[in-house]
Amino acid sequence: MFATDGDWDLRSMLPRQCELAEVPQPVALQRWVDIRRVFSETLKTGNKGLMSMCQALGINFVGQAHSGICDARNIARVGLVLMQEHDAVLSSNSQIKELDSSRKEQTVEEAGETATYDEQRESSICARMSLLVAHVGFAELEDALRRMKLSRDEMRRVRTHVKLLGFLPHPRSPGELRRYRAILGSQLVKIQLKLEAAWAAADESEEKEKKMRLVEDVERELSALPPLKAPNSPQPLVSGTWLMKVGGVAPGPLVGRLKDYLHYCQVDQDLETPEQVQQVFHDIELLARDMDQLSYSAHLEGLPRLQWPPA
């Protein structure tokens, strides 16, 4: 799928050039993503050029305007920001004039199929993206990020998707589902599940159907999962100050380690009050009575933390 800044190149110029050369316009260039239209519809603004779109999205325009390679890089960066920060979908939204009439007939006579067509386009784009990030090694990925001249924040977002890809919660484990949603946040979960679905659909092994069902099951269970009971979730209910002043824990690394584990239990078990979390702490204290300091510290290091993917 190709992305352009406006329609003129592929809708007007290329067809004329193909006609002069007496060759058909390549099928791959008969439909494309007009990034200018995606920008306008997503941000509810008027038609803008590439440099204006970069400015509106806070992207530094790279290179010389109207240079082919520079424009291509800036179009890619605009598309990336629209997807990551504005939840835009880069599906084909323009095509050669010869397809206009057939597309209009399909919209009028087969409205149900139109939605399926758009969904297939969206899935195809997500699949291409997921394949790219799934099969590129770390060194190659870092080199690609540098070549695209992405900002630090953009690089961080891409690395996050790569890190999370392939690590889904068990659909029948409410604790895992709660931790996954609490750590990633609803917006990142939505984007990540699209990537997971595309990656599974592109799998050519015998595990393909199993992976696709897993994504579907996780998405279904997450949609039915109630919000966490604790107020201001997923913020911790018990602080390090409480552990030292009331819990009697000496200042030092153990405070942070205990706080991490209690936060994990709070989300995993959906604890609602500070008293419930404090009871978990008192249960740990009972174990400490039968251990020396070194064994107790080692025990705490083995306890889970609130992180995804799980350690």
Side-chain angles (χ1 to χ4, degrees):
M1 178 64 63
F2 288 86
T4 67
D5 172 29
D7 284 337
W8 186 83
D9 290 307
L10 298 185
R11 190 172 169 87
S12 298
M13 185 278 292
L14 186 59
R16 294 173 186 169
Q17 184 63 46
C18 290
E19 183 178 355
L20 288 173
E22 298 182 349
V23 296
Q25 185 161 341
V27 174
L29 296 175
Q30 292 184 6
R31 290 190 176 94
W32 58 91
V33 181
D34 180 358
I35 206 74
R36 189 180 297 191
R37 186 180 303 175
V38 176
F39 175 93
S40 177
E41 293 174 354
T42 301
L43 274 65
K44 311 299 181 186
T45 184
N47 191 29
K48 293 184 179 294
L50 184 55
M51 188 171 293
S52 295
M53 288 189 288
C54 287
Q55 291 173 348
L57 294 172
I59 302 172
N60 291 327
F61 190 90
V62 176
Q64 179 67 40
H66 305 301
S67 162
I69 187 62
C70 293
D71 282 355
R73 287 170 176 163
N74 287 308
I75 290 170
R77 296 169 76 239
V78 167
L80 185 63
V81 171
L82 287 173
M83 286 190 295
Q84 291 181 335
E85 298 185 6
H86 301 277
D87 201 26
V89 174
L90 300 192
S91 58
S92 64
N93 57 14
S94 196
Q95 58 196 4
I96 59 175
K97 297 175 183 178
E98 287 76 6
L99 294 177
D100 284 349
S101 58
S102 62
R103 179 62 173 165
K104 184 176 181 181
E105 290 172 4
Q106 179 186 19
T107 302
V108 174
E109 299 175 8
E110 303 177 18
E113 292 300 319
T114 301
T116 302
Y117 172 84
D118 291 338
E119 289 169 2
Q120 290 174 348
R121 284 293 180 183
E122 179 180 347
S123 298
S124 174
I125 294 166
C126 289
R128 291 166 191 256
M129 182 191 307
S130 65
L131 285 174
L132 176 64
V133 299
H135 296 289
V136 172
F138 177 78
E140 291 84 357
L141 175 62
E142 292 299 309
D143 181 62
L145 294 177
R146 286 192 294 270
R147 287 176 179 272
M148 289 181 67
K149 300 185 183 298
L150 301 178
S151 68
R152 290 184 180 180
D153 183 63
E154 290 168 338
M155 289 184 179
R156 177 185 60 78
R157 289 172 182 269
V158 173
R159 293 189 191 103
T160 297
H161 284 306
V162 174
K163 176 184 175 182
L164 295 174
L165 197 59
F167 292 94
L168 285 171
H170 195 290
R172 289 187 292 277
S173 172
E176 284 194 17
L177 291 167
R178 281 191 286 263
R179 287 187 278 120
Y180 183 75
R181 186 179 63 185
I183 296 167
L184 271 64
S186 58
Q187 190 66 26
L188 182 54
V189 164
K190 182 179 179 181
I191 297 172
Q192 195 65 29
L193 286 178
K194 288 182 180 180
L195 294 178
E196 296 285 358
W199 192 33
D203 195 314
E204 297 181 354
S205 72
E206 296 179 354
E207 297 291 310
K208 176 177 179 176
E209 295 299 325
K210 180 180 178 181
K211 291 179 179 179
M212 292 178 67
R213 285 197 301 271
L214 175 60
V215 178
E216 292 172 358
D217 291 345
V218 169
E219 191 167 15
R220 182 185 63 252
E221 295 301 323
L222 282 172
S223 65
L225 191 70
L228 293 172
K229 298 174 184 176
N232 299 320
S233 293
Q235 296 301 314
L237 289 170
V238 169
S239 66
T241 301
W242 183 92
L243 287 170
M244 290 184 289
K245 290 186 176 181
V246 181
V249 181
L254 287 183
V255 175
R257 191 64 194 89
L258 278 167
K259 183 182 175 184
D260 286 344
Y261 176 63
L262 294 176
H263 195 195
Y264 169 93
C265 293
Q266 173 189 324
V267 174
D268 186 75
Q269 302 172 29
D270 198 13
L271 303 180
E272 187 175 3
T273 65
E275 290 74 22
Q276 290 175 321
V277 180
Q278 290 161 11
Q279 183 57 52
V280 175
F281 168 72
H282 293 313
D283 292 341
I284 298 174
E285 275 192 314
L286 293 177
L287 291 175
R289 295 174 184 176
D290 300 325
M291 298 180 181
D292 57 38
Q293 184 66 26
L294 186 60
S295 299
Y296 181 54
S297 298
H299 173 70
L300 290 181
E301 283 301 319
L303 295 176
R305 304 169 187 261
L306 188 61
Q307 61 185 31
W308 202 274

